[in-house]
């Protein structure tokens, strides 16, 4: 009968341990940029990885997700680690937002349009039809009712056409959001995440075939333009950050990279997201800001 108290005691010890491990992983990974080696789907379902099994990634399953949700990240894409979440039997390694379909994302393309109800006049004529027995009057009433019914059906058809157009727009919008919403790796273990996996080294080992964690640059690791390497600041701007990272203000990023070549804006719920494109020697940087604060960025080599 002492089994339950012992299990409760072990669980009480395990919860702080998991929280401590998650905090260590978040401190190490979040805000850093990595390079993915495989295609990743534009969904919060992401890519399931089961370390230590004969087939850690079930590629037919991954192919189905890619076909259904499209590709958010491709081999060679640089992605910001936006969140690490440790659960009982898995570690979530979220990139570029973690994938579309999380809480608050509208993933349904449906646009519901109710049918046009009968007008008060149509209902009144139907009541009159019930009350009269005169054949001529009944014929006249039916003709009027039929005209109103046809008008209502035409209005229904117009509304359905508008709804179909709105659905197409919504599908295209969701597809775009999926392409921009990042993805994630779900590192799964059975029955629980082992202690050796709850370290930065354990995570990198589990994802070594699918993620490049090393700095990459055109001139070699650690060279100019390497991920995480300092960016040369503008000489005329003092006391500014020298490393691009989330949380910087748009003024700080402009101070590092100069004025952007292009700026676009879009709405995401109640927020306005500004996307700025910067050109620096040898690369193009795309940065997204919400309320003037950097939330994600990506770097790509400049085409020759």
């Amino acid at each position: 009968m002492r089994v339950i108290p012992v299990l409760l005691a072990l669980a009480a010890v395990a919860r702080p341990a998991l929280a401590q491990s998650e905090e260590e992983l978040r401190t190490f990974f979040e805000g850093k940029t990595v390079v993915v080696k495989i295609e990743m789907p534009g969904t919060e379902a992401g890519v399931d990885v089961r370390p230590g099994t004969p087939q850690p990634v079930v590629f037919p399953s991954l192919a189905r997700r890619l076909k259904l949700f499209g590709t958010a990240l491709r081999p060679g894409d640089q992605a910001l680690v936006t969140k690490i979440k440790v659960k009982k039997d898995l570690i979530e390694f979220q990139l570029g937002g973690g994938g579309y379909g999380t809480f608050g994302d509208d993933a349904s393309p449906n646009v519901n349009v109710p049918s046009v109800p009968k007008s008060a006049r149509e209902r009144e004529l139907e009541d009159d039809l019930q009350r009269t027995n005169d054949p001529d009057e009944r014929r006249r009433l039916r003709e009027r009712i039929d005209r109103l019914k046809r008008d209502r059906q035409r209005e229904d058809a117009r509304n359905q056409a508008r709804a179909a157009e709105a659905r197409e727009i919504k599908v295209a919008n969701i597809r775009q959001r999926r392409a921009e919403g990042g993805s994630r790796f779900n590192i799964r273990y059975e029955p629980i995440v082992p202690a050796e996996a709850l370290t930065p080294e354990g995570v990198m080992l589990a994802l070594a075939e699918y993620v490049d964690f090393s700095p990459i640059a055109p001139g070699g690791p650690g060279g100019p333009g390497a991920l995480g390497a300092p960016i040369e600041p503008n000489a005329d701007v003092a006391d500014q950050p020298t490393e691009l990272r989330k949380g910087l203000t748009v003024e700080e990023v402009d101070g590092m990279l100069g004025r952007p070549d292009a700026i676009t804006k879009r709405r995401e719920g109640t927020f306005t997201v500004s996307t700025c494109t910067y050109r620096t020697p040898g690369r193009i940087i795309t940065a997204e800001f919400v309320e003037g604060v950097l939330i994600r960025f990506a770097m790509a080599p400049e085409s020759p």
Side-chain angles (χ1 to χ4, degrees):
M1 299 299 293
R2 294 178 58 82
V3 173
I4 292 178
V6 170
L7 290 177
L8 291 175
L10 289 174
V13 172
R15 280 194 294 269
L18 282 177
Q20 185 176 359
S21 299
E22 179 178 278
E23 186 60 32
E24 178 187 0
L25 295 178
R26 293 183 61 186
T27 300
F28 185 87
F29 285 112
E30 287 184 2
K32 294 184 179 179
T33 304
V34 297
V35 177
V36 299
K37 298 181 182 181
I38 63 172
E39 290 195 19
M40 300 186 67
T43 168
E44 47 83 27
V47 179
D48 291 327
V49 180
R50 292 177 170 81
T53 63
Q55 190 178 13
V57 171
V58 180
F59 284 97
S61 176
L62 173 57
R64 285 192 293 271
R65 289 180 185 176
L66 289 168
K67 185 175 181 179
L68 184 60
F69 301 109
T71 301
L73 296 170
R74 291 174 170 79
D77 281 354
Q78 303 173 5
L80 188 71
V81 181
T82 50
K83 189 173 183 179
I84 301 292
K85 182 70 175 177
V86 176
K87 298 182 180 179
K88 175 188 174 184
D89 58 351
L90 70 89
I91 301 172
E92 293 180 3
F93 191 86
Q94 301 188 21
L95 299 171
Y100 194 81
T102 55
F103 180 77
D105 290 337
D106 183 4
S108 171
N110 295 329
V111 177
N112 296 318
V113 178
S115 299
V116 177
K118 293 180 181 180
S119 65
R121 180 56 178 160
E122 187 176 354
R123 292 195 299 271
E124 180 182 336
L125 291 173
E126 287 176 340
D127 290 342
D128 292 343
L129 181 63
Q130 294 294 325
R131 287 193 294 266
T132 183
N133 293 319
D134 182 80
D136 293 335
E137 181 64 17
R138 289 180 64 84
R139 185 181 65 255
R140 285 192 293 271
L141 288 170
R142 286 197 184 94
E143 289 174 352
R144 294 174 185 173
I145 292 171
D146 288 343
R147 281 197 297 271
L148 291 174
K149 183 178 180 180
R150 287 193 295 270
D151 290 343
R152 179 160 49 83
Q153 290 172 337
R154 281 193 293 270
E155 183 65 20
D156 265 334
R158 285 193 292 269
N159 289 343
Q160 291 302 322
R162 296 189 190 102
E165 182 179 1
R167 277 193 292 271
E168 290 299 318
I169 294 172
K170 192 173 181 182
V171 166
N173 183 59
I174 291 174
R175 188 182 302 116
Q176 180 66 21
R177 293 289 179 267
R178 289 194 181 281
E180 298 173 346
S183 192
R184 71 178 65 185
F185 288 98
N186 301 304
I187 311 172
R188 298 185 179 276
Y189 296 90
E190 292 183 1
I192 61 172
V193 179
E196 60 270 20
L198 292 169
T199 63
E201 294 78 9
V203 171
M204 288 189 285
L205 181 62
L207 298 179
E209 291 187 40
Y210 320 108
V211 179
D212 186 353
F213 293 95
S214 64
I216 294 177
L227 297 182
I231 296 175
E232 284 296 322
N234 291 341
D236 56 345
V237 180
D239 298 328
Q240 63 177 12
T242 58
E243 183 179 342
L244 195 61
R245 62 182 185 277
K246 66 179 182 178
L248 296 179
T249 66
V250 66
E251 291 81 10
E252 290 172 327
V253 176
D254 286 354
M256 297 165 61
L257 306 178
R259 292 294 299 166
D261 282 11
I263 301 175
T264 60
K265 294 185 178 182
R266 69 176 188 273
R267 295 289 298 178
E268 286 193 5
T270 60
F271 297 103
T272 299
V273 180
S274 300
T275 303
C276 299
T277 303
Y278 300 88
R279 290 183 182 274
T280 62
R283 62 184 173 176
I284 298 174
I285 301 172
T286 303
E288 293 189 348
F289 300 87
V290 171
E291 303 296 330
V293 176
L294 181 64
I295 60 167
R296 66 175 70 95
F297 64 91
M299 304 181 190
E302 188 173 21
S303 302

